[in-house]
Amino acid sequence: MRRRGRKQRMTYRIVAIDAQSRREGKVIREIGFYNPRKEETQLDVSAIISLCRSGAKLTETVRNILKRAKLLERVGTEFQGENS
């Protein structure tokens, strides 16, 4: 997740980055948007599915956002990871 916005008004971009790069490193692909203040979520479902099938790992925070959006139930449990 990449943080955007100013103090007390942050929003987050859900992005795919290389595990070797730093947290705010070069983005491979932007796959969604999350606004915690309004509980607003916008997700690119096809991009999420293709990245997960190609071996991308979800962070716990992103996995929780996908659960709230009921995306994991729609595409199956194969993307939940080893710990869930």
Side-chain angles (χ1 to χ4, degrees), residues 2 15-19 21 25-31 51 56:
R2 178 173 275 186
V15 296
I17 62 170
D18 183 25
S21 68
K26 184 178 178 184
V27 174
I28 296 171
R29 189 166 185 186
E30 187 173 306
I31 57 174
L51 285 168

Side-chain angles (χ1 to χ4, degrees), residues 23-40:
R23 182 184 61 155
E24 298 292 329
K26 184 178 178 184
V27 174
I28 296 171
R29 189 166 185 186
E30 187 173 306
I31 57 174
F33 169 83
Y34 175 62
N35 183 351
R37 295 179 54 123
K38 296 181 180 179
E39 288 297 321
E40 179 182 6

